Every structure is written in C-alpha cells, then in structure tokens.
Amino acid sequence: MPIWNPWHGCHKISAGCMHCYVYRRDASVGRDASAVAKTGDFDLPLRRDRHREYKLQPGEGTVFTCMTSDFFLEEADPWRPACWQMMRQRPDLDFAIITKRIHRFMDCIPPDWGEGYPNVSIYCTAENQEMADARLPLYLTLPIRHKHICHEPMLGPINIEPYLASGQIEYVLCGGESGPGARPCRYEWILSTREQCVRYGVRFHFKQTGAVFIKDGKVYHIPRKLQQSQAARAGIDYAGE
C-alpha cells in the first residue's frame, strides 16, 4: 500500500483522536505531533528514479494520502494546491484521503474540482454515532465522485443506514483501536455495520480487530502484528453489488 505524507503533524478534534498513533509515535522520539510541517516526500507522486521512471508506479495500489496528518488541516492551506496539481498530473494513480475535517472540504478544493477528480476518493471518518450524524449529512451534499466511510477506531455501534440509503457511499471500512490504552471494539458492532452494508449492496472491509477485541462476551488482547490477520480470518468482508 503506497503512502504519501506531504506534511506531518495534526491537532486532535474528536473522540477518535484520543489515542492517535501519530502522537504516540512522535512522543516516543521526543517529537511534538502538533507541530505541522512539510515533509521530504512532499513531491513524491512526481518523483522519478535514475531511469526517469516514476517512483510511484501504477498498479502498486491506492496511494493513501496524508496518513500522519489531515489533508484538510488549516495549517496546510498554502501547500494543498500543489498537492491537487500533482494528483491531476498523475491520473494513472488512485489517491485516498481520510479526513475528520469534512467541514472544511469546500474551502479546500481546487477551482477545477467540478464533481470531483475521478482518481480521488474521500473517506469521511465516523468513529461513533455522534460523529456519524455530525459529519455524514454534510458529506452527502459534497461534490465527491468516490465517497467512503471510515469507522476507525470504531468506538461504539453506529447506524449509517440513512446514509447508505442515499446510494452515494461506495465503501465502508471498520477497525478497532491499537496501542496502549486502546478502547475496546466489539464484534457485534462490526457485524451490525456489515449487515447494513449488505442490505444496501455497499462494499465492506473489516480492517483490524484493534488491541482490545470483545467477541461473544470474551475479551481478547491482540498484539499489533496480528490485528489485521485476525480480522481477515473472520472472513466477513463483502464485495458489494
């Protein structure tokens, strides 16, 4: 999975941010995760090797963008236009942007956005029912070609049927929380979201169990390296219609 982090650092804005892995990793090396700065990979989509081939090659998978920050962070406003330009220059790549700041979307799009770039997917994070109901109604009004919902970390049962019923959502991803102090994720929450997706023919992916996973009343403490493989073993991903 290619990752492009044009800048690093962020600010916590909702419950899902409490145990942010970026803050945890930065603290371990004495770095302030709230300090926002461009990275050395800012121009990664246009970077070439000594043979003049792009370092990010088509076919390597979706390029997950700004995974150590938020693409719509206020401090990044001066840098974002150049990133949109790079996405335009690489129509052979698919870019995925996961955000908790969908409320800033219309202030951050380029002049030629129209109904959305065909190669850009926007994931709206909804970690609990409160955030689902705060963010998703707005999300459905926005000009985005590929709309995805991200329940990660999933902090409770979430009803997204009104939003799936719109026919606009292509994909839903669920996952538990990792790291020290991780809040539990219950299997019944995951299954409920899957059932909702199946009813509306929307693709569903169970990404990871999280560190504290509750199934059939039993609490499992799962090492980080096994959280994705244990989720895969559940065999509940749904390809959609």
Side-chain angles (χ1 to χ4, degrees):
M1 178 184 75
I3 293 176
W4 171 34
N5 291 321
W7 48 85
H8 181 95
C10 199
H11 308 296
K12 299 181 181 184
I13 64 168
S14 66
C17 303
M18 182 181 293
H19 298 141
C20 175
Y21 71 95
V22 177
Y23 272 71
R24 186 169 68 247
R25 290 178 183 177
D26 280 10
S28 71
V29 295
R31 183 174 180 175
D32 179 5
S34 68
V36 182
K38 287 171 69 174
T39 71
D41 281 338
F42 185 80
D43 64 345
L44 181 61
L46 302 185
R47 198 171 293 171
R48 298 175 185 264
D49 61 22
R50 60 191 179 89
H51 301 295
R52 301 301 299 159
E53 298 289 337
Y54 281 123
K55 290 194 172 182
L56 289 182
Q57 286 287 311
E60 293 182 7
T62 299
V63 180
F64 280 84
T65 302
C66 224
M67 299 299 287
T68 60
S69 184
D70 192 306
F71 191 73
F72 300 113
L73 191 72
E74 291 85 344
E75 285 93 330
D77 287 353
W79 311 324
R80 195 177 303 103
C83 292
W84 289 128
Q85 175 63 25
M86 285 184 264
M87 293 181 210
R88 280 197 300 271
Q89 289 180 247
R90 293 298 309 272
D92 55 331
L93 294 177
D94 291 322
F95 296 89
I97 296 169
I98 302 173
T99 184
K100 290 184 174 67
R101 289 172 171 80
I102 201 65
H103 60 280
R104 299 204 71 236
F105 181 81
M106 292 303 295
D107 295 328
C108 298
I109 55 176
D112 67 345
W113 178 258
E115 292 304 309
Y117 292 169
N119 63 329
V120 176
S121 301
I122 305 293
Y123 289 66
C124 183
T125 298
E127 63 265 41
N128 55 28
Q129 192 67 52
E130 179 186 2
M131 290 299 99
D133 293 338
R135 294 171 181 156
L136 296 179
L138 171 62
Y139 184 53
L140 294 184
T141 71
L142 300 176
I144 300 169
R145 287 180 187 263
H146 304 293
K147 294 181 178 178
H148 301 167
I149 295 174
C150 177
H151 295 321
E152 192 178 27
M154 194 170 196
L155 302 178
I158 308 175
N159 176 20
I160 54 171
E161 287 205 46
Y163 313 112
L164 298 179
S166 72
Q168 296 185 45
I169 306 301
E170 297 180 353
Y171 176 63
V172 176
L173 177 154
C174 289
E177 186 169 54
S178 298
R183 290 159 286 185
C185 179
R186 292 181 175 272
Y187 192 45
E188 60 260 34
W189 302 343
I190 304 293
L191 291 178
S192 173
T193 297
R194 182 188 188 275
E195 290 166 5
Q196 295 174 60
C197 289
V198 171
R199 277 196 286 275
Y200 291 94
V202 175
R203 188 159 53 102
F204 168 85
H205 175 49
F206 179 23
K207 181 186 172 187
Q208 63 178 30
T209 60
V212 183
F213 191 63
I214 302 175
K215 181 181 179 183
D216 299 329
K218 184 173 181 180
V219 179
Y220 297 88
H221 296 276
I222 303 177
R224 183 70 186 91
K225 64 181 180 179
L226 298 179
Q227 290 170 27
Q228 290 193 18
S229 61
Q230 289 296 311
R233 285 184 63 186
I236 61 171
D237 284 2
Y238 171 63
E241 293 179 359

